[in-house]
Amino acid sequence: MTSFDFIEATVAKVHAAYLDGSLTCRALCEYYLKRIEQLEPRINSIICVNPKTLEEADRFDAYVKERRRLCGALHGIPVMLKDNFNTTDMPTTAGSVALKGWVPQKDAFVTKRLRESGALILAKTNLHEFAIWGETVSSILGQSVNPYDPTRTPGGSSGGTGATIAANIGIVGLGTDTINSVRSPASANSLVGIRPTIGLVSRAGIVPYSLTQDTAGPICRTVEDAARCLSVIAGYDPDDAETAWGVGHVVEDYAKYLDENALPGKRIGVLESLFGKEDVNRSTNAVMSEAMKVFEANGATLVPARDDIDQSWLTSETSVHLDDFRRDLDSYLRGLPTDWSVHSMKEILDKGLFHPFSESNMRDAMKLEVGTPRYLEKMYNKIGLRTRVLKIMADLRLDAMIYPHQQQLVCKCGDSQRQRNGVLCSSTGFPSVCVPAGFAPDENAPVGVPVGMEIIGRPWSEALLISIAYAFEQHSHFRKPPIEYNNVRKN
């Protein structure tokens, strides 16, 4: 039996153990498969497990044995992949019974990059159906739950990835983010989530929600693992024209910017209008107040940013997620085989192939059109918002700005998320990193309910944001695993 400590394992620790012979990829995958067997009935977050996991693990072990080296940046690293990334060896359902059994003929660009780096896709994870909201309820699997508090959702839409990574199933997670959907599960599960600048990561081969705002990003337990993953998936893809904007901005290795001494001299804006002012916001604000002290204690300057950017205005007046939804989903569905049961959102609705939780959003989307005066008004507002954010940062000479990802705690199962601030980055297309900020006490959560802090920067500033996030992480160590899931048998 290996003496390797599986709980909170990282890419670097796993790779060191592979090379010194104290761990095999098979042993690591067997451990995670056992955790899936024991934990999945409780968190309900995995749609499909890779049936060839151990076969693939053996190939990675043989490679190390024969060559005494690793095959790539994510050699033998088990990945939890949100089930809206195309995979040629497993179904891609986007959480919908309308796509049950659909196996694409081509991997998504991100999936391909992961495989080329040596990653092992361990499982496809649950998501809010078609990634359209934030509670992680799907018609293919139902409600996923938060491993810190089973009465709460794991955020969303990438909540299945968030719940499994938080519960120490897999090393690296991947999600997609249209409004909040990488950072929401990161916040709700004491994880690190990166939403990159639009154009840094290809969306080709991902079931779309809004191609104006969609992107993909890592959800991991540490900033270092998230940075390693971003290095793998970033890059130009001819099949996604938006990535042409990223040419010249992609950093080959974001992990080079992991500097625990990055805070001295940094000016960090506190975007005060994105902190809630109601009783329901008190617990989040208390956690944030303590977390922000880490910046000042380690050489950064906190600068009040008193602009009146309002979360509800952002959602209603700058976000075109529902406006784009029917057009962009229909474009994907038209690529399904001619004998498939649906090829449009209308057919999904007409045939009742949806979870009741999703119906209102889909019916609202059916009423909207791209290119209408109302749509163009929102797009115009986006342009003004980008300039407004950059001007705040320029006037105050800021390196980054911070605020709670969600002004109130992640919602209970059966309820809806409220006051999520991720829309600021999804509407501007700017990058942000969400990091654990601490826990709010709750009787149903032995560790507490996680609270996440977003760190937003200028376009293409991922390296700077990663350095700030890493230094904050190293001086705070706020992440804690959900303790009731740590005593699972290893064999």
Side-chain angles (χ1 to χ4, degrees):
M1 180 189 299
T2 179
S3 61
F4 184 81
D5 186 1
F6 294 93
I7 296 297
E8 302 291 277
T10 65
V11 172
K13 290 178 180 178
V14 167
H15 279 173
Y18 284 168
L19 291 172
D20 70 18
S22 60
L23 178 69
T24 63
C25 187
R26 171 176 271 268
L28 181 63
C29 289
E30 286 178 338
Y31 173 76
Y32 287 137
L33 292 173
K34 176 61 70 174
R35 285 185 75 79
I36 290 172
E37 177 186 327
Q38 296 176 329
L39 299 182
E40 179 55 16
R42 295 153 69 183
I43 59 177
N44 198 45
S45 292
I46 295 174
I47 291 175
C48 174
V49 176
N50 181 356
K52 296 184 178 179
T53 292
L54 296 182
E55 179 183 327
E56 292 182 23
D58 288 341
R59 287 201 293 269
F60 287 119
D61 289 335
Y63 187 99
V64 172
K65 185 176 181 180
E66 292 170 7
R67 295 172 173 81
R68 307 291 183 184
R69 59 183 175 86
L70 305 173
C71 70
L74 295 179
H75 172 106
I77 296 298
V79 169
M80 307 303 286
L81 189 65
K82 185 177 182 179
D83 197 25
N84 59 349
F85 290 84
N86 282 359
T87 48
T88 57
D89 52 354
M90 286 177 276
T92 298
T93 70
S96 172
V97 293
L99 294 180
K100 185 177 182 180
W102 161 239
V103 180
Q105 295 183 338
K106 183 180 179 181
D107 279 335
F109 177 87
V110 168
T111 306
K112 180 173 179 286
R113 280 290 184 93
L114 290 168
R115 295 194 202 277
E116 290 172 347
S117 75
L120 189 160
I121 310 300
L122 178 64
K124 303 290 288 294
T125 56
N126 198 29
L127 61 153
H128 202 105
E129 190 164 22
F130 289 118
I132 60 176
W133 215 247
E135 294 76 32
T136 308
V137 183
S138 72
S139 60
I140 202 112
L141 192 65
Q143 174 73 70
S144 296
V145 303
N146 193 306
Y148 291 90
D149 178 355
T151 70
R152 295 181 186 270
T153 77
S157 64
S158 311
T161 298
T164 52
I165 294 296
N168 277 276
I169 300 174
I171 304 289
V172 165
L174 266 295
T176 58
D177 192 309
T178 304
I179 316 171
N180 302 276
S181 298
V182 161
R183 295 151 297 154
S184 173
S187 174
N189 293 281
S190 193
L191 299 170
V192 176
I194 300 178
R195 178 188 166 92
T197 308
I198 288 284
L200 192 75
V201 175
S202 171
R203 293 83 52 84
I206 300 173
V207 182
Y209 180 4
S210 163
L211 288 174
T212 305
Q213 297 176 189
D214 285 350
T215 189
I219 303 172
C220 300
R221 291 185 289 270
T222 67
V223 175
E224 179 176 347
D225 282 354
R228 289 174 181 269
C229 181
L230 184 62
S231 301
V232 166
I233 64 174
Y236 175 65
D237 176 12
D239 291 334
D240 182 357
E242 201 68 29
T243 59
W245 286 93
V247 173
H249 296 291
V250 177
V251 172
E252 183 177 350
D253 183 7
Y254 288 97
K256 289 183 178 178
Y257 293 87
L258 301 172
D259 179 6
E260 66 180 46
N261 298 312
L263 293 181
K266 294 293 189 299
R267 291 175 59 83
I268 309 295
V270 180
L271 195 50
E272 295 181 349
S273 63
L274 294 186
F275 286 69
K277 308 299 189 295
E278 306 167 34
D279 286 345
V280 72
N281 308 124
R282 286 183 178 178
S283 56
T284 297
N285 289 345
V287 171
M288 285 291 296
S289 179
E290 289 300 308
M292 290 189 297
K293 294 177 182 178
V294 173
F295 289 106
E296 291 185 313
N298 291 280
T301 300
L302 292 181
V303 182
R306 297 191 173 97
D307 193 275
D308 61 351
I309 291 174
D310 177 69
Q311 179 270 333
S312 60
W313 181 85
L314 292 173
T315 302
S316 64
E317 301 301 322
T318 69
S319 185
V320 295
H321 54 285
L322 282 180
D323 307 74
D324 288 344
F325 184 27
R326 176 168 59 90
R327 176 199 65 183
D328 292 342
L329 180 60
D330 282 359
S331 70
Y332 181 92
L333 296 175
R334 283 193 295 270
L336 297 177
T338 55
D339 60 351
W340 199 261
S341 61
V342 296
H343 294 91
S344 70
M345 184 185 295
K346 182 179 185 302
E347 290 179 343
I348 290 173
L349 287 167
D350 288 347
K351 296 182 179 183
L353 298 174
F354 54 83
H355 192 283
F357 212 128
S358 305
E359 183 176 8
S360 62
N361 283 316
M362 296 177 76
R363 294 203 182 279
D364 286 345
M366 288 295 296
K367 303 171 187 175
L368 299 172
E369 294 282 348
V370 171
T372 64
R374 176 64 174 142
Y375 183 86
L376 295 176
E377 179 185 13
K378 291 182 181 181
M379 293 297 287
Y380 179 80
N381 289 341
K382 281 180 180 289
I383 296 170
L385 179 63
R386 293 185 187 113
T387 301
R388 183 174 172 184
V389 171
L390 289 177
K391 188 175 188 305
I392 294 169
M393 297 187 70
D395 286 346
L396 299 177
R397 296 179 288 112
L398 302 177
D399 296 286
M401 293 194 294
I402 59 172
Y403 44 84
H405 168 75
Q406 190 157 332
Q407 295 176 30
Q408 57 182 271
L409 300 181
V410 65
C411 74
K412 297 281 188 174
C413 295
D415 200 354
S416 296
Q417 309 296 354
R418 294 177 177 85
Q419 296 183 310
R420 293 191 295 173
N421 291 325
V423 65
L424 178 59
C425 283
S426 59
S427 290
T428 58
F430 292 1
S432 70
V433 180
C434 187
V435 292
F439 295 84
D442 187 278
E443 61 181 6
N444 296 306
V447 176
V449 178
V451 173
M453 174 193 293
E454 270 201 67
I455 310 171
I456 177 179
R458 297 175 175 85
W460 317 113
S461 65
E462 284 81 1
L464 173 61
L465 295 179
I466 284 169
S467 71
I468 293 171
Y470 181 75
F472 175 84
E473 173 193 63
Q474 294 303 300
H475 291 293
S476 64
H477 297 289
F478 284 129
R479 164 147 176 95
K480 297 177 184 177
I483 56 175
E484 64 270 35
Y485 293 99
N486 286 357
N487 297 321
V488 175
R489 291 181 292 109
K490 295 183 181 180
N491 50 60

